[in-house]
Structures are given as structure tokens and as C-alpha cells.
Amino acid sequence: MTIDGAAALEAAREHESAIVAFLREMIAIQSESRHEGERCERIRREFESLGFDEVFIDRLGNVVARIGNGPLKILIDGHIDCVGVGDPDAWEHDPFEGKLEDGKVWGRGAVDELPVVACAAYGAKMLIERGVPDEVTLYLTASVMEEDCDGYCLLHLIQNEGIRPDVVVIGEPTDMGVYRGQRGRVEAVVTARGVSSHAAHPDQGVNALYKLAPVLQDVEALNERLPSDEFLGKGTVVATYIECDSASLNAVPAAARLYIDRRLTAGETPDDALAEIAALPSMADCELKMLEYDEISWRGERAHQDKFYPAWVLPEDHGLVRGVVEAVELVTGEKPRISRWGFSTNGVATAGRFGIPTVGFAPGIEELSHTTGEWVAVADLVKSAAVYSLIPEVLAARKDELT
């Protein structure tokens, strides 16, 4: 079988206006984590209009489409919740207009990560038009709650919906490169306890906030001692937030909490990372606990897990990496950059928890995520749609390399 990248690119160009329109309409619907319902319904309608074999919204709220019914199960995932916009006046363009200007689409979610939803949908349509390989079942997910708790959406899909793919392509921005890993993360809280008193008589109390001062210094120093991995980079630890329990602004706080983000590089475990923090000299009079995520989705389903997100790396010579690289090269004529993300993705579930081979491919520049200047190039949307359309065919031809 000959796989024709030039023909796929030409077919994608014919769908350019539809891809752009769909992306702009998604951007126009505000959809922060746990409030994605309206955007999910819009995506469901688009999926249904494209003639997929099955389209449904699962119990958590993910939109799921199925194309084909072969033994090789491929999942292309894009999360559709976005972070807030902050100060609207800081944006050059309305974050919810989905403005099309100078060959770019602008707005919240234009990079992180609505493009994959639009591009993969039309890539799947193109695949249907050419003929889905008999070996393939292709799943598309427009997943929810990733910004709140990355990975839980796919954890739910696998554990509770019974859909376990053989390989996964994550749609976090890679700027058309192929990414094969990321650092992990554990979120924790340090609690210091004191004794409240009137602020006019601080000597009669014990200030819990003061107990955190040396902890902050020790955490900053610990960051410099953490190990590094040649591919994933350095492990990091940073204090991100402080809050306290106080009767008023004129009272000594009786308790204070320091929140910590600990990024895990290759070979690090959450137990070891927490033990390092607990062993700091300043922690003798403090408590340390891993945080938990416990929220209700837009469909009313409870989402609950520890806030631990495993690091993962797929070897560069794995068949999935080689296959997606081949699909990109067929479309662009150039071998893509192979790298890794600086932030976390839904791959913490598929690769990190379940060991399912996972890579990333998508348009958009990672560093534009969560900024007031998100944009994606229309030309890259078209190329990406062509690549997504080819991935199932390429992987079907390489199926013996994917285990």
C-alpha cells in the first residue's frame, strides 16, 4: 500500500475553511474545567455531521468518536477545557472571538489545545473518504477537566468506560514536532500550626506563618540539589501559594499552609520526592501531605485521585514514534523535531499509569499556552489535519512494531 502525503495535504486544503470555522466556534464558547458542557455539545454535533461510526458523551463528559472496528485501537486526544483569561484588557484580541487575521487564529484555546480537535476530526473524515484500514479502530476524544487534573479524563475512559487504546497521540502543542515524554508532578501542602492571639499582643500567641519562613528557604535550596535527566531535564520544586487561618487581619494566625509543586524527572518517585521535603530541617514542626483532587464534572460525575502525575518517556526508536514521524514527513517533506514537553499532559494517565505507548503531535507553540497572545497558524492546521489522517494508515502498516 502506498501512502500519499501530497494527496492528503491537498485534501486537507479543501477542508481548510471548515477546520478554521470549527476552531473559531469552539474558541467562542467559554469552557473552563468542569464547565465544558456547551462546548462539548458543539463538538458532538460536528462529530456527528462528519459521518463517524459512533459518537457519544461519556459519563465524565468527554466527547468520544469511533471510526472503524479493527483490532489496532488508536486514540487521538485533545482536551477542550481552557484556563481563564485573567484581565480581558490585557488581550490584543478578544479571547473569545476566535479572530482570523494574518493567517492566524487567535484566542483562548487557539494553542492549548483546541486545534487538535478540529484537525483530527477532519483528518478522520479524510481517512473515511480514502477508506479506513481493516486493522484500525480510531478513537477521537475531546476530553474534559485536563487543566484541573491532567490525565483523569483518560483514566476515566480506560477504567470506567472500557476503552483502552493500544497507542495514543496527545494533542498538546508541539509546533509540528513529535514529542515522546514529559516530567511528572506531585502537589503537596505543608501545614504549620500555632496559637492565635490579638495582633496587639503577638507574644501571647505562636505565629504559624513565621514557622513557614524557614521552610520557604529550605525548599528554595532543595531545588538546586535535585537531579537532572539528559532528556526530560531537571527535577524542580517550588512554593506556589500560602494561606492561613486567622480570626482577622488583626490576629496572629493559628495555622498556615504552603503549597508546593514538585516536578519529577526520570527515575523519581512521589514517595522519594515527599520524603526529601519532609526531611528538611525546618519541617520538624510541620506536617506534609500530598493533595487530592475531588471535584464534580459538568455531567455530575465525581472525579477523585491523588495529585500525582507520573513522568514518562517513550524510546525514540519505538514504532509509534517512528510511525508519527513518518506521517509528518510524508506531509511536510521534512523530518520533524523529536522532543518533549516542559509541562504536563494527559499522557500521565495513558503512558504514566497504564504504560500505553504515547506520543504528542499538534500545531501551536507550547510557550503560547496560557498567555494573552495565543495563536495558531492556519497553514499548520491544514498540515496537521493531513498528518492525523495518515497516522492510522502508517501505524496499521507498522502494527508489529507497536508492542
Side-chain angles (χ1 to χ4, degrees), residues 13 37 43 52-53 55 89 92 118 147 175 201 334 374 383 393 397 399:
R13 290 191 178 112
I43 293 167
F52 299 154
D53 293 325
V55 178
D89 293 334
E92 180 181 353
E147 296 290 0
D175 197 22
H201 307 287
E334 299 178 354
E374 274 193 78
K383 293 174 188 174
E393 292 176 301
K399 60 182 181 298

Side-chain angles (χ1 to χ4, degrees), residues 115-181:
V116 62
V117 178
C119 297
Y122 279 85
K125 176 180 174 62
M126 292 156 54
L127 178 66
I128 292 170
E129 291 169 348
R130 290 197 304 269
V132 181
D134 292 340
E135 302 95 330
V136 167
T137 298
L138 175 63
Y139 288 102
L140 306 182
T141 48
S143 54
V144 297
M145 302 174 76
E146 191 275 349
E147 296 290 0
D148 252 14
C149 186
D150 33 306
Y152 186 82
C153 46
L154 299 190
L155 181 78
H156 169 87
L157 191 76
I158 293 167
Q159 285 191 335
N160 302 326
E161 302 288 343
I163 296 175
R164 184 184 178 107
D166 298 303
V167 293
V168 176
V169 179
I170 297 290
E172 293 280 4
T174 68
D175 197 22
M176 308 297 288
V178 177
Y179 284 12
R180 60 182 185 91

Side-chain angles (χ1 to χ4, degrees), residues 11-26 42 46 49-50 100 105 115 117-119 121-123 125 378 381-382 385:
R13 290 191 178 112
E14 296 177 4
H15 294 296
E16 176 182 315
S17 60
I19 294 168
V20 170
F22 183 28
L23 175 59
R24 295 181 67 195
E25 288 181 28
M26 286 190 287
R42 175 65 188 86
E46 192 80 12
S49 74
L50 293 174
L100 176 61
V105 178
V117 178
C119 297
Y122 279 85
K125 176 180 174 62
V378 171
L381 295 175
V382 173

